Amino acid sequence: MDSVSERHGLRPNRIAVLSVHTSPLAQPGTGDAGGMNVYVLQTALQLARRGIEVEIFTRATSSNVPPVQEAGPGVLVRNVMAGPFEGLDKHDLPTQLCPFAAEVMRQEARHRPGYYDLVHSHYWLSGQVGWLTRDRWRVPLVHTAHTLAVVKNAALAEGDSPEPATREIGEKQVIAEADRLVANTAEEARQLIELYGAQPDRIDVVPPGADLARYRPGDKAAARAELGLATDERIVAFIGRIQPLKAPDVLVRAAAEVVRRDPTRKVRVLVVGGPSGTGLQRPDALIDLAAELGIADRVTFLPPQPPDRLAHVYRAADLVAVPSYNESFGLVAIEAQASGTPVLAAKVGGLGTAVRHNETGLLVSGHRIDEWADALGHLVDNPESLRRMGARAVEHAAEFSWEHTADGLLDSYTAARMDFRAIRGQLGIGPLVDTERVSRGGVVLPREDDWAAEERTSLATGPESGQTRPRALRRRRMGVRR
Amino acid sequence: MDSVSERHGLRPNRIAVLSVHTSPLAQPGTGDAGGMNVYVLQTALQLARRGIEVEIFTRATSSNVPPVQEAGPGVLVRNVMAGPFEGLDKHDLPTQLCPFAAEVMRQEARHRPGYYDLVHSHYWLSGQVGWLTRDRWRVPLVHTAHTLAVVKNAALAEGDSPEPATREIGEKQVIAEADRLVANTAEEARQLIELYGAQPDRIDVVPPGADLARYRPGDKAAARAELGLATDERIVAFIGRIQPLKAPDVLVRAAAEVVRRDPTRKVRVLVVGGPSGTGLQRPDALIDLAAELGIADRVTFLPPQPPDRLAHVYRAADLVAVPSYNESFGLVAIEAQASGTPVLAAKVGGLGTAVRHNETGLLVSGHRIDEWADALGHLVDNPESLRRMGARAVEHAAEFSWEHTADGLLDSYTAARMDFRAIRGQLGIGPLVDTERVSRGGVVLPREDDWAAEERTSLATGPESGQTRPRALRRRRMGVRR
């Protein structure tokens, strides 16, 4: 597809990436930063390697960051001033979307028109801003939801608060407005269609990747020495934000049960991450839980680790557990497997694809502690299974590279631009001209404006042309919002 | 000022008025509709009489309303689709500001560029949208806050929940971004300056008006007959939304105390309005309170009344009470006085200006029930005082006409447009040209864009021109957001 698209000049030269609520330069595993941050940064770096300039807009949350940072060759992070640096959490951010959008549009206006060829928004908050900039810049909007409120609320962890209805409404709007949607998995595509009414032919399934150069098999003993961990224990690691959604408590409870069943088992739980979301209300809850269950001496906590140190964690572990109530993809599961470490995961969302049951790890349906203890006990007792699965895991993870992801995104971008051009091409006008102004004999300038001009021009040419227009534009005219 | 401004062609021909959260066509006294709705509608009608086309954008909250309604000659109400019709309250609306802004901009784009000469936003939610449209349309933004979170939170009714910090942040942003601010009273101007850092020379104090043709003295006995009220009772009326902020409970308690002190007093409390805001959580609280205090038979409740019937209410009453914890102006107090009815009001916000103590009514500092009972008892027992104050009230209210208000707004609009033109004139370029594009030899078109182009052009001409630029633009470059 690349050669065709390049011949037509449809490959974007410069894209604006919107990541309002969390910076790609933030440390994953703490605050609101997680797999999405890694995704945004890694795909940007890969796209830049292909010659595409990437500018990532994120809300500035510290006075220490400059307005623009270089995240790597060809990748700029623009820290946008919108509201105070501190004191706003994700649920407060809807009040800052207009200021954020205004500032992004002011920054773009410093350049020649047509500076960005496309907008890619991540998470629904960014999608709301992306829709405004798309209208303004007349370029396609590609949107990745990453997580969906309806899905999250349907599988809510005990004690976790549901996402507000306003988020569901906002997501539905963005999904209806976006020119194309990128889903991380086929499961997410199905959710977009069935739960949000997305059109199947506007969705591209593009699996995220892992940094395979960084995460690869290595010396387990050396990794344990680096982290100060014993060499004679079976280590099962949890890597992620400590919050109900990620369910680290399920792992701790299952480990306690495994030890209760056979106290000779030398099991250690390694928790790597910081409290986040509703987990912030009780940051020590997991430590207290381990103490209550009598396995405080078998649980080690580490703060969120930078990528180099995280590579040691994956190698040091015999097993990585991902007990989340929902994961749109499950980047940790891929990174673990790339490191040759099998994964014990909940069979939810993208994890069903990320992990191959009985081949590269085990999938557990639901979150019953006895079932998690069965699976964990089985793996802990069978080093040969772990070795076999670890070897197979490396092969499986090789399919998930950021290079593949970037290729998929480029295809999606090109398709989005092709749709866009098709609509304009079919209408038979280069830059869209405001017919009202022409007929009034005013200043006759092409007006780079929004969809409305297209609609008016199209209606003027009669209904038959409207009937053959591509679906993307028809939808706008026939959809619920019109 | 008018003749000068008309000579310069600076009087606007068509303005966009933003009233996101409540329609000027909604019935005041229920839901979120109150004095602001009356203000938006009446000033629009008056401006239209002066030949200015007014288009009011509000969020559609019912499938029964058409996209466009004529509110009167020259006044259109555009019901904008942004989110579901029902189920969103004022605190949810920040999530719908981007969709609202996108739709407003799409509607504008159906017209020739320069369709609106100015944007006037009411309440901070509209201000956030106004800022985006101002950038886009390159026209001045005039903003009226109506109420301010910092002021409201400083004088919170018992049991009322404080306004969220996100509102204060959003208000501060809008106040910093607006080209001019319209304050209802000198008190509000002071609050804008001292609490929100507004620049004094950008504020115009324009008192709201009352519909003096409708609200004027009339036959009290006939009005009482119309409403089914007895002629031999002393009637004190409360007109407004039933919510803690408006403090109808203070009136009911004071009335109970007045009766307790002298049970021969024939006092009736007439409450006209529906529950709103936090009052919705306990819609019957006021009825229960009257029963608890043993004066259920002395309190009459009427639902919100249309203007014609409201005129009867003002005439039927011997006294109108406005015990609010905060009022930026207090429209009810003016309407009552215009009808020849004295007012008993709390000495807060604009009420200190709207009512002349001992001349057209009484002002009470604070909300102590014994002090309210003292004042109420005094007026109830002194028909001669009521008559004297009523006559003086009519004279006083005559100063507050919507005609005066519209004149004041027009002056503010003209000043805003003059500032705007001064900035552009000084920069020595007609339509602003993007120098980067010109130097690159690209398509040289004037680009109707945002402030950034001005800043760049200005910087290119050297710092000395920047020093003589009007304050409005300097502020943008030197303010906290840059």
Side-chain angles (χ1 to χ4, degrees):
Chain A
M1 188 162 181
D2 260 11
S3 64
V4 175
S5 66
E6 280 170 322
R7 204 172 58 229
H8 286 83
L10 284 175
R11 218 179 88 138
N13 292 313
R14 186 183 293 108
I15 66 169
V17 174
L18 305 180
S19 177
V20 173
H21 79 285
T22 178
S23 168
L25 299 180
Q27 166 66 52
T30 188
D32 285 325
M36 191 187 111
N37 302 62
V38 176
Y39 183 104
V40 171
L41 181 61
Q42 291 298 327
T43 54
L45 293 171
Q46 289 294 336
L47 289 167
R49 279 197 203 166
R50 287 158 177 74
I52 295 162
E53 286 182 50
V54 181
E55 301 197 359
I56 305 168
F57 293 83
T58 189
R59 198 179 77 86
T61 54
S62 160
S63 57
N64 294 327
V65 296
V68 187
Q69 291 172 282
E70 191 169 23
V75 179
L76 296 183
V77 174
R78 296 189 175 272
N79 298 297
V80 174
M81 295 281 280
F85 296 125
E86 292 179 0
L88 293 184
D89 78 7
K90 207 158 67 171
H91 294 287
D92 295 325
L93 284 188
T95 59
Q96 285 302 319
L97 294 180
C98 279
F100 189 93
E103 184 57 26
V104 168
M105 291 198 270
R106 287 176 183 185
Q107 292 195 14
E108 188 268 351
R110 297 204 173 94
H111 304 283
R112 60 181 169 73
Y115 193 70
Y116 302 109
D117 294 321
L118 183 135
V119 181
H120 188 169
S121 55
H122 295 275
Y123 196 68
W124 77 279
L125 293 170
S126 303
Q128 291 267 340
V129 175
W131 163 14
L132 274 170
T133 56
R134 185 271 315 271
D135 274 19
R136 176 75 192 90
W137 301 341
R138 294 192 67 77
V139 297
L141 171 66
V142 175
H143 179 69
T144 306
H146 290 282
T147 64
L148 293 165
V150 174
V151 176
K152 187 177 171 190
N153 286 347
L156 213 58
E158 201 185 313
D160 210 353
S161 23
E163 291 295 308
T166 47
R167 176 177 163 187
E168 288 186 20
I169 293 163
E171 286 177 338
K172 278 185 182 145
Q173 291 172 321
V174 172
I175 288 163
E177 284 284 341
D179 296 284
R180 288 199 85 76
L181 298 164
V182 171
N184 287 335
T185 61
E187 168 73 4
E188 188 187 337
R190 187 189 63 74
Q191 292 162 345
L192 288 167
I193 295 162
E194 293 179 6
L195 304 176
Y196 286 86
Q199 291 178 318
D201 59 358
R202 285 194 302 120
I203 304 176
D204 298 305
V205 177
V206 181
D211 188 342
L212 301 180
R214 187 187 303 276
Y215 302 110
R216 48 197 166 78
D219 187 335
K220 191 180 290 290
R224 290 196 177 188
E226 191 73 41
L227 298 168
L229 297 167
T231 50
D232 62 340
E233 292 180 323
R234 200 66 83 200
I235 296 178
V236 51
F238 168 93
I239 296 115
R241 283 167 284 168
I242 299 176
Q243 54 172 307
L245 174 71
K246 301 287 183 184
D249 54 306
V250 169
L251 172 60
V252 170
R253 286 181 194 279
E257 175 63 14
V258 161
V259 172
R260 193 194 62 75
R261 290 178 187 176
D262 179 356
T264 68
R265 284 164 164 165
K266 300 189 78 174
V267 173
R268 173 159 301 280
V269 175
L270 175 62
V271 176
V272 182
S276 168
T278 49
L280 283 168
Q281 291 154 20
R282 291 192 56 210
D284 292 335
L286 204 59
I287 295 171
D288 294 346
L289 177 65
E292 273 169 38
L293 296 169
I295 59 161
D297 60 337
R298 290 172 183 264
V299 183
T300 300
F301 288 89
L302 288 179
Q305 300 289 308
D308 283 340
R309 304 266 307 166
L310 199 53
H312 293 315
V313 171
Y314 286 124
R315 286 176 194 164
D318 295 297
L319 183 66
V320 166
V322 187
S324 305
Y325 284 91
N326 182 46
E327 284 290 344
S328 68
F329 181 64
L331 181 58
V332 162
I334 299 297
E335 290 176 350
Q337 293 173 88
S339 309
T341 305
V343 176
L344 171 60
K347 196 178 174 183
V348 295
L351 290 171
T353 311
V355 179
R356 294 215 169 159
H357 184 59
N358 258 333
E359 280 187 57
T360 70
L362 292 179
L363 290 167
V364 179
S365 296
H367 294 82
R368 284 185 50 179
I369 301 305
D370 57 341
E371 292 179 359
W372 275 80
D374 289 348
L376 180 59
H378 172 75
L379 291 171
V380 160
D381 292 344
N382 287 282
E384 187 41 48
S385 284
L386 287 175
R387 253 189 301 276
R388 177 179 54 81
M389 287 177 173
R392 182 72 190 86
V394 177
E395 294 170 22
H396 177 55
E399 296 169 22
F400 298 90
S401 70
W402 288 117
E403 286 84 353
H404 286 162
T405 309
D407 288 342
L409 290 184
L410 256 184
D411 285 350
S412 187
Y413 294 166
T414 305
R417 299 191 76 208
M418 210 174 284
D419 285 355
F420 221 73
R421 200 172 74 155
I423 292 166
R424 292 167 62 110
Q426 191 182 348
L427 291 172
I429 41 174
L432 294 166
V433 174
D434 187 315
T435 49
E436 193 178 338
R437 287 171 69 204
V438 174
S439 66
R440 289 187 184 194
V443 190
V444 184
L445 295 173
R447 189 172 188 215
E448 304 234 345
D449 223 309
D450 78 0
W451 293 99
E454 282 177 357
E455 288 192 31
R456 183 181 54 253
T457 312
S458 164
L459 290 169
T461 61
E464 64 286 359
S465 74
Q467 279 162 16
T468 56
R469 281 199 286 166
R471 191 179 302 186
L473 186 55
R474 281 212 306 280
R475 175 182 59 83
R476 289 215 165 65
R477 299 186 50 216
M478 296 162 62
V480 285
R481 299 196 66 258
R482 295 267 173 185
Chain B
M1 187 162 180
D2 259 9
S3 65
V4 176
S5 66
E6 280 170 322
R7 202 172 59 228
H8 286 81
L10 285 175
R11 219 180 88 139
N13 292 313
R14 187 184 291 107
I15 65 168
V17 174
L18 305 180
S19 176
V20 174
H21 80 284
T22 179
S23 168
L25 299 179
Q27 166 66 54
T30 189
D32 285 325
M36 191 187 109
N37 303 61
V38 176
Y39 183 104
V40 171
L41 182 61
Q42 291 298 328
T43 54
L45 293 170
Q46 289 295 336
L47 289 167
R49 279 196 201 166
R50 287 158 178 72
I52 295 163
E53 285 182 50
V54 181
E55 301 197 359
I56 305 168
F57 293 83
T58 189
R59 199 178 77 86
T61 54
S62 160
S63 58
N64 294 328
V65 296
V68 186
Q69 290 172 283
E70 191 170 24
V75 179
L76 296 183
V77 173
R78 296 188 176 274
N79 298 295
V80 173
M81 296 280 280
F85 296 125
E86 291 179 1
L88 293 184
D89 78 8
K90 208 159 66 172
H91 294 287
D92 294 325
L93 285 188
T95 60
Q96 286 302 319
L97 294 181
C98 278
F100 189 93
E103 184 59 26
V104 168
M105 291 198 270
R106 286 176 182 184
Q107 292 195 14
E108 187 268 351
R110 297 204 174 94
H111 304 284
R112 60 178 169 73
Y115 193 71
Y116 301 110
D117 295 320
L118 182 135
V119 181
H120 188 170
S121 55
H122 294 274
Y123 197 67
W124 76 279
L125 293 169
S126 303
Q128 292 267 338
V129 175
W131 164 12
L132 273 168
T133 56
R134 185 271 313 270
D135 274 19
R136 176 76 192 90
W137 301 340
R138 294 192 68 76
V139 297
L141 170 66
V142 175
H143 179 69
T144 306
H146 290 280
T147 63
L148 295 164
V150 174
V151 176
K152 187 176 170 191
N153 286 347
L156 214 58
E158 200 184 314
D160 210 353
S161 23
E163 291 295 305
T166 47
R167 175 177 165 189
E168 288 186 20
I169 294 163
E171 286 177 338
K172 278 183 183 147
Q173 291 172 320
V174 172
I175 289 163
E177 284 285 341
D179 295 284
R180 288 199 85 76
L181 298 164
V182 171
N184 286 336
T185 60
E187 167 73 3
E188 188 187 340
R190 190 189 62 74
Q191 292 162 344
L192 288 167
I193 295 163
E194 292 179 7
L195 305 176
Y196 286 86
Q199 291 178 316
D201 59 357
R202 285 193 303 119
I203 304 176
D204 298 306
V205 176
V206 181
D211 188 341
L212 301 179
R214 187 186 303 280
Y215 301 111
R216 49 197 166 77
D219 186 334
K220 192 181 291 289
R224 290 195 177 190
E226 190 73 39
L227 297 167
L229 297 166
T231 50
D232 62 341
E233 292 180 323
R234 198 67 81 201
I235 296 179
V236 51
F238 168 92
I239 296 114
R241 285 168 281 168
I242 299 175
Q243 55 172 306
L245 174 71
K246 302 285 184 185
D249 55 305
V250 169
L251 172 61
V252 170
R253 285 181 194 279
E257 175 63 15
V258 161
V259 173
R260 193 194 63 75
R261 289 178 185 175
D262 178 357
T264 68
R265 283 165 165 164
K266 299 189 77 172
V267 173
R268 173 159 301 279
V269 175
L270 175 61
V271 175
V272 182
S276 169
T278 50
L280 283 167
Q281 290 154 22
R282 292 191 57 209
D284 291 337
L286 204 60
I287 296 171
D288 295 346
L289 177 66
E292 274 169 38
L293 296 170
I295 59 162
D297 60 337
R298 290 171 183 265
V299 182
T300 299
F301 289 89
L302 288 178
Q305 301 289 309
D308 282 341
R309 305 267 304 167
L310 200 53
H312 293 314
V313 171
Y314 287 124
R315 286 176 193 164
D318 295 296
L319 182 65
V320 166
V322 188
S324 307
Y325 285 93
N326 183 48
E327 283 292 343
S328 68
F329 181 64
L331 181 58
V332 162
I334 299 295
E335 290 175 350
Q337 292 173 89
S339 308
T341 305
V343 176
L344 171 60
K347 196 177 174 184
V348 295
L351 290 171
T353 311
V355 179
R356 295 213 169 162
H357 183 59
N358 257 332
E359 281 186 57
T360 69
L362 292 179
L363 291 167
V364 179
S365 296
H367 293 81
R368 283 185 52 178
I369 302 304
D370 57 341
E371 292 179 0
W372 275 80
D374 289 347
L376 181 59
H378 171 75
L379 291 172
V380 161
D381 292 344
N382 286 283
E384 186 43 46
S385 284
L386 288 175
R387 252 190 300 278
R388 178 181 52 83
M389 288 178 173
R392 183 71 191 87
V394 178
E395 295 169 21
H396 176 56
E399 298 168 22
F400 298 91
S401 69
W402 288 117
E403 287 84 353
H404 285 164
T405 309
D407 289 341
L409 290 184
L410 255 184
D411 286 348
S412 186
Y413 294 166
T414 304
R417 299 191 77 210
M418 210 174 283
D419 284 355
F420 222 72
R421 199 172 75 155
I423 292 166
R424 292 166 63 110
Q426 191 182 348
L427 291 171
I429 42 175
L432 294 166
V433 174
D434 186 317
T435 48
E436 191 180 338
R437 288 172 67 206
V438 175
S439 65
R440 288 187 185 192
V443 189
V444 184
L445 295 174
R447 189 174 189 212
E448 302 233 342
D449 222 309
D450 77 4
W451 292 100
E454 281 178 358
E455 287 193 32
R456 185 180 53 253
T457 311
S458 164
L459 289 169
T461 60
E464 64 288 358
S465 74
Q467 281 163 13
T468 56
R469 282 199 285 166
R471 192 179 301 187
L473 186 54
R474 281 211 308 280
R475 176 183 60 81
R476 289 214 167 67
R477 300 186 50 216
M478 297 162 62
V480 286
R481 297 196 69 258
R482 297 265 173 186

